Amino acid sequence: MTLLKKWTLLTLLLTFAFPYHAFAYKIVLDAGHGGSDPGAIGVGGLRETDVNLDITMKVKQALLERGYDVVMTRTTDTFWSLAERVAFTNEQKADLFVSIHANAHANSNVNGSMVLYYDNNYPQEDYPASSTMSQLTPYSKDLAGHVQDALVASAGTKDLGLTPSAVYVARMGIIPSILVETGFLTNKSDAALLNSDAARSKIALGIANGISAYEPPLFTDVLVHWSRPAVLRMKNKGIIEGIGNNYEPDRALTRAEFLTLMDRVFTFSKLPTVCEAKSSVTSSVYGCNAGTSYSDLPASHWASAVFAKASKLNLLQGYEDGTIRPNRAITRGEVADLFNRLLQMTSAGAPAVYQPYFDDVPKSLWSALAITNLKEKGIINGVTDTSFKPNQTMTRAEIAALLDRYFK
Ligand SMILES: [Zn+2]
């Protein structure tokens, strides 16, 4: 094939393989044992820790070549506790976790490959899973199946199937997780494979193929979150976006993020501007105060354009110190006020009459009418039946639910 043809084909393949993802899925690879814990010792003194690390490095290389984002727990022959491995993984905001081991058995005739995962249908009372992992069984099992099939196809090992298991690293995390038992160090033919560089490469290729065959669902960190239906509906409408394949549902929504969402919902450029008449300045200004620019909102800020649009609608006031604080968390009262003002600009209707729905929203509160109006329209709820907490920040999950109610 000519270079040009190869290049065209590669481009086509990539286009079809990754049509919607501008980001790389992130994978945590974990080489079992290490340091003071060599793992199983097999035929001829073959150490599990060494076999695991070499195969894991080969899996990493194969995945990097395919464009994945890959991180490893240990990368040398050092000791990591099981809790350290899970804690490290939980910090990575990754899409899946794969631990790589080799097996041992008192009966040297036992051989083959298997993949372990936590199965909520077979709980072990003494070894409870994390609450998230107990709900991730379908995803972990799907990943396990793909890796098992691809592993035995590539390595030619005996297929021992999937094994529900309460091993620590497969049950205590917060993302789909599996543990691969590549073969038995205590079996002569398996040990020969595990001691061969060529066979280790085939084993690693199989594991990488299985990972590639598994398609992580959208937004790994809301797989079992209460907001998932609303988040997916708002994503499908083109209103919300994630950060890579995460949504960060429990993080506070920033002012810049909220304005961006409001622009997508209400299309600021189509609303009547209220500031231009007052302003004779044609350069970029923020707020109705002509000529004002904010010290913390350089033109290079990702949201500077939406702040400029919002300023023509007089949506946000700056602070006395000359800042607009785009990265500050927005409060529930501010959300209600801004959302209600945009509703009034886009739809006719009688102004709300204050109702004492919440103990902490007295008539004198500046956002009381907005909260009353959105409550009556079924768009916003309290934190409880009697409490609204107007000064509390709003999470990204809460705004997805609010917008979902609005579009209903
Ligand atoms: Zn092991």
Side-chain angles (χ1 to χ4, degrees):
M1 239 189 279
T2 66
L3 189 62
L4 184 66
K5 274 184 181 165
K6 270 185 186 168
W7 181 249
T8 310
L9 185 62
L10 182 67
T11 308
L12 277 173
L13 282 173
L14 288 174
T15 307
F16 287 118
F18 304 102
Y20 304 117
H21 305 296
F23 56 89
Y25 289 119
K26 187 171 182 181
I27 293 155
V28 179
L29 296 178
D30 174 53
H33 310 280
S36 58
D37 167 22
I41 305 294
V43 176
L46 192 58
R47 295 179 350 134
E48 186 191 346
T49 175
D50 301 330
V51 172
N52 294 345
L53 185 58
D54 187 45
I55 292 174
T56 305
M57 293 289 221
K58 287 174 158 64
V59 175
K60 179 185 181 182
Q61 190 55 37
L63 291 173
L64 286 176
E65 284 167 10
R66 296 174 193 193
Y68 289 94
D69 186 2
V70 186
V71 290
M72 287 176 66
T73 54
R74 72 177 177 102
T75 55
T76 56
D77 190 16
T78 47
F79 179 82
W80 281 48
S81 72
L82 298 176
E84 283 171 333
R85 292 168 200 254
V86 170
F88 171 86
T89 303
N90 290 354
E91 287 171 5
Q92 298 302 313
K93 297 185 175 182
D95 294 295
L96 56 94
F97 169 89
V98 177
S99 186
I100 294 173
H101 286 249
N103 228 330
H105 200 284
N107 180 347
S108 64
N109 291 323
V110 176
N111 69 327
S113 304
M114 64 172 78
V115 176
L116 282 52
Y117 69 101
Y118 179 79
D119 195 319
N120 208 34
N121 296 314
Y122 305 95
Q124 294 186 29
E125 271 180 29
D126 293 340
Y127 301 97
S130 72
S131 65
T132 302
M133 191 62 81
S134 66
Q135 300 171 74
L136 287 174
T137 289
Y139 304 104
S140 294
K141 190 176 183 180
D142 186 24
L143 171 62
H146 282 107
V147 170
Q148 175 69 12
D149 290 349
L151 170 57
V152 297
S154 177
T157 46
K158 184 178 175 186
D159 186 354
L160 298 177
L162 305 188
T163 306
S165 168
V167 289
Y168 190 93
V169 294
R171 80 182 146 87
M172 295 307 290
I174 53 174
I175 56 174
S177 299
I178 58 171
L179 187 149
V180 182
E181 294 282 9
T182 50
F184 281 80
L185 289 159
T186 42
N187 173 265
K188 205 175 169 186
S189 62
D190 271 10
L193 291 176
L194 292 168
N195 201 22
S196 146
D197 188 64
R200 286 178 186 177
S201 292
K202 285 184 183 173
I203 290 168
L205 181 68
I207 294 170
N209 287 346
I211 291 170
S212 294
Y214 171 78
E215 179 81 1
L218 194 61
F219 299 150
T220 297
D221 60 353
V222 290
L223 283 177
V224 301
H225 197 275
W226 64 266
S227 66
R228 183 162 185 79
V231 167
L232 292 188
R233 278 193 289 268
M234 291 305 98
K235 169 66 178 170
N236 283 335
K237 272 189 103 63
I239 303 292
I240 62 137
E241 284 175 12
I243 296 93
N245 198 35
N246 283 287
Y247 181 65
E248 303 185 0
D250 299 317
R251 171 166 74 70
L253 183 71
T254 68
R255 285 154 63 86
E257 286 173 334
F258 180 66
L259 267 195
T260 303
L261 294 176
M262 291 298 91
D263 189 20
R264 293 197 189 120
V265 174
F266 294 103
T267 316
F268 290 172
S269 60
K270 290 186 176 167
L271 300 179
T273 58
V274 298
C275 292
E276 276 174 346
K278 292 184 190 173
S279 169
S280 59
V281 176
T282 53
S283 63
S284 93
V285 294
Y286 304 104
C288 279
N289 300 322
T292 303
S293 63
Y294 295 101
S295 58
D296 57 348
L297 189 69
S300 58
H301 191 284
W302 67 269
S304 64
V306 78
F307 273 92
K309 282 193 266 183
S311 73
K312 293 185 177 175
L313 307 175
N314 200 23
L315 287 178
L316 273 186
Q317 304 298 325
Y319 292 87
E320 283 183 1
D321 63 359
T323 62
I324 190 84
R325 304 182 195 174
N327 306 322
R328 206 205 75 189
I330 195 161
T331 67
R332 293 167 51 80
E334 288 170 335
V335 165
D337 173 62
L338 267 171
F339 199 96
N340 187 56
R341 278 158 61 198
L342 284 159
L343 266 187
Q344 314 252 288
M345 291 165 82
T346 52
S347 58
V353 175
Y354 171 76
Q355 298 289 339
Y357 289 121
F358 303 107
D359 296 344
D360 55 358
V361 182
K363 192 173 184 178
S364 58
L365 187 73
W366 66 278
S367 55
L369 279 180
I371 292 167
T372 294
N373 195 35
L374 295 182
K375 167 74 178 162
E376 286 181 350
K377 285 184 156 55
I379 295 172
I380 212 162
N381 292 326
V383 172
T384 67
D385 283 349
T386 56
S387 170
F388 184 79
K389 295 212 183 296
N391 296 323
Q392 182 173 296
T393 57
M394 180 171 276
T395 67
R396 288 167 52 85
E398 287 170 339
I399 194 65
L402 185 154
L403 294 173
D404 190 41
R405 286 191 293 269
Y406 167 69
F407 281 109
K408 275 177 184 164

